[in-house]
Amino acid sequence: MERLSIIKAENAGNLCVNLTFSDNTIQTIDVGDFIRRHPHPQYNKYLDPRKFNRFTLENGNVVWGKNWDLIFPIEQLHAGILAQ
């Protein structure tokens, strides 16, 4: 079985990101909502749209920050639900 990965990530506006997965599933994830519910100095800076928009795809996952300050389990992203 092939490992699930993100093959495309695009800014969807309002701190959301559109993700396309290797199985052709597409999800829109509201990362801003997660950050507001889980405030932390490491995450809060990504409430700034300019910093949020600098996400990259690395090793099949979407990440923020050069040291992966913000990353989510791919299974949660695929399901469209971030941990509470």
Side-chain angles (χ1 to χ4, degrees):
M1 181 176 188
E2 189 174 320
R3 182 179 155 255
L4 186 63
S5 62
I6 298 169
I7 58 173
K8 186 176 181 183
E10 299 176 310
N11 184 343
N14 296 320
L15 304 177
C16 295
V17 62
N18 287 329
L19 303 174
T20 303
F21 295 84
S22 55
D23 67 353
N24 294 318
T25 298
I26 298 172
Q27 292 287 4
T28 301
I29 305 296
D30 186 343
V31 178
D33 183 56
F34 175 87
I35 296 170
R36 285 186 285 278
R37 287 185 288 119
H38 301 89
H40 185 281
Q42 184 172 327
Y43 307 150
N44 295 349
K45 62 185 169 188
Y46 296 107
L47 290 172
D48 177 340
R50 291 171 294 161
K51 291 182 181 177
F52 175 84
N53 294 338
R54 293 185 192 142
F55 59 82
T56 60
L57 281 180
E58 295 186 34
N59 297 324
N61 207 333
V62 62
V63 300
W64 287 261
K66 69 179 184 178
N67 293 318
W68 295 16
D69 294 337
L70 186 60
I71 186 171
F72 299 98
I74 198 161
E75 295 81 11
Q76 290 180 13
L77 296 171
H78 188 262
I81 302 170
L82 298 180
Q84 302 297 323

